């Protein structure tokens, strides 16, 4: 029993630490009625603006993302075809300012007096209930798949994560690209 009591603070600390860390969220959308198995070759569109912006330092990880995405697409059985692709992909990155609000729990103290034949009771709120504002930045990576002849969106995957100056950008981008392509519902046999 004594050993059990010693592990409770460690468990509580683990819960508190894990609740403070941010988690990457990934999402995807597939157009209705589209069979993605029909799309076996691909190319990238809109790469010119990444080359220009990369020189200015605005999209410094564009080449890294492109290389990671190509690896994932090859693992899914896609073939790169810049002449006549079945599908075209594009990606974008952005950082958005976000705000979250938290409310501390209200604490009440009950006061009671009792006696024969009558009872008096009450509660008085004591502190708590304050609302705090948390400003943070969220990094978003979006990868989209289009039908080249019609321009119709076939599939979109994206990842979102709270970022800070401590963020491991390359590690998080690698994880984001991998998780996004896990949501692409196709795997061609090689």
């Amino acid at each position: 029993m004594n050993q059990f009591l010693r592990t409770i603070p460690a468990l509580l600390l683990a819960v508190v630490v894990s609740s403070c860390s941010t988690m990457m969220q990934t999402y995807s959308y597939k157009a209705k009625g589209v069979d993605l198995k029909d799309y076996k070759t691909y190319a990238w569109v809109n790469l010119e603006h990444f080359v220009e912006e990369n020189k200015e330092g605005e999209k410094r990880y564009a080449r890294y993302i492109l290389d990671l995405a190509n690896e994932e697409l090859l693992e899914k059985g896609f073939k790169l075809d810049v002449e006549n692709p079945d599908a075209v992909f594009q990606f974008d990155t952005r950082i958005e300012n976000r705000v979250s609000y938290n409310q501390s729990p209200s604490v009440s103290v009950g006061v009671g007096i009792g006696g024969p034949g009558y009872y008096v009771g009450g509660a008085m709120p004591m502190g708590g209930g304050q609302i705090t504002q948390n400003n943070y930045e969220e990094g978003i990576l979006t990868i989209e798949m289009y039908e080249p002849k019609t321009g119709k969106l076939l599939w979109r995957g994206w990842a979102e994560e709270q970022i800070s100056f401590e963020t491991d950008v390359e590690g998080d981008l690698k994880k984001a690209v991998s998780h996004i392509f896990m949501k692409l519902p196709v795997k061609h046999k090689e």
Side-chain angles (χ1 to χ4, degrees), residues 25-32 34 36 44 73 87-92 94 140-147 151-160 176-177 179-186:
Q25 299 291 321
T26 54
Y27 307 91
S28 72
Y29 160 82
K30 183 179 104 35
K32 291 182 183 178
V34 173
L36 296 178
W44 291 94
L73 287 166
V88 292
F89 284 85
Q90 71 176 13
F91 67 90
D92 191 25
R94 67 185 183 279
I140 302 168
L141 171 63
T142 304
I143 301 174
E144 297 173 322
M145 177 182 183
Y146 289 93
E147 160 60 50
K152 177 182 176 184
L153 176 66
L154 302 171
W155 175 83
R156 173 184 293 134
W158 67 99
E160 302 174 351
V177 170
H179 288 174
I180 288 170
F181 279 108
M182 280 184 202
K183 296 198 174 270
L184 178 60
V186 66

Side-chain angles (χ1 to χ4, degrees), residues 4-20:
F4 176 74
L5 290 176
R6 281 188 232 150
T7 60
I8 291 175
L11 289 172
L12 287 174
L13 180 63
V15 169
V16 168
V17 168
S18 68
S19 69
C20 293

Side-chain angles (χ1 to χ4, degrees), residues 11 22-23 39 60 69 72 99-100 113 122 126 157 161 184 186:
L11 289 172
T22 64
M23 292 186 58
Y39 300 90
R60 73 177 68 146
E72 293 290 333
V99 178
S100 67
I113 299 175
M126 303 293 290
E161 182 177 37
L184 178 60
V186 66

Side-chain angles (χ1 to χ4, degrees), residues 44-189:
W44 291 94
V45 295
N46 296 335
L47 292 180
E48 301 82 29
H49 79 280
F50 284 113
V51 173
E52 295 298 319
E53 290 175 351
N54 197 25
K55 290 178 185 172
E56 299 168 12
E58 292 180 22
K59 299 287 183 182
R60 73 177 68 146
Y61 293 101
R63 187 72 195 158
Y64 183 65
I65 294 168
L66 185 65
D67 291 342
L68 291 171
N70 280 328
E71 287 175 22
E72 293 290 333
L73 287 166
L74 291 174
E75 283 185 29
K76 289 207 166 265
F78 283 89
K79 304 275 188 240
L80 183 62
D81 181 358
V82 295
E83 298 297 322
N84 190 22
D86 297 330
V88 292
F89 284 85
Q90 71 176 13
F91 67 90
D92 191 25
T93 59
R94 67 185 183 279
I95 296 175
E96 294 185 357
N97 293 318
R98 300 283 173 114
V99 178
S100 67
Y101 297 94
N102 296 314
Q103 181 175 3
S104 63
S106 296
V107 178
S108 296
V109 175
V111 178
I113 299 175
Y118 67 92
Y119 297 95
V120 177
M124 180 185 339
M126 303 293 290
Q130 288 86 11
I131 296 176
T132 56
Q133 177 177 320
N134 178 31
N135 298 317
Y136 63 95
E137 291 182 325
E138 186 169 69
I140 302 168
L141 171 63
T142 304
I143 301 174
E144 297 173 322
M145 177 182 183
Y146 289 93
E147 160 60 50
K149 294 175 182 84
T150 64
K152 177 182 176 184
L153 176 66
L154 302 171
W155 175 83
R156 173 184 293 134
W158 67 99
E160 302 174 351
E161 182 177 37
Q162 183 174 335
I163 59 173
S164 71
F165 66 92
E166 297 173 344
T167 299
D168 173 17
V169 176
E170 289 185 13
D172 285 357
L173 284 173
K174 185 172 185 166
K175 186 167 93 171
V177 170
S178 174
H179 288 174
I180 288 170
F181 279 108
M182 280 184 202
K183 296 198 174 270
L184 178 60
V186 66
K187 173 110 173 131
H188 300 297
K189 295 181 182 181

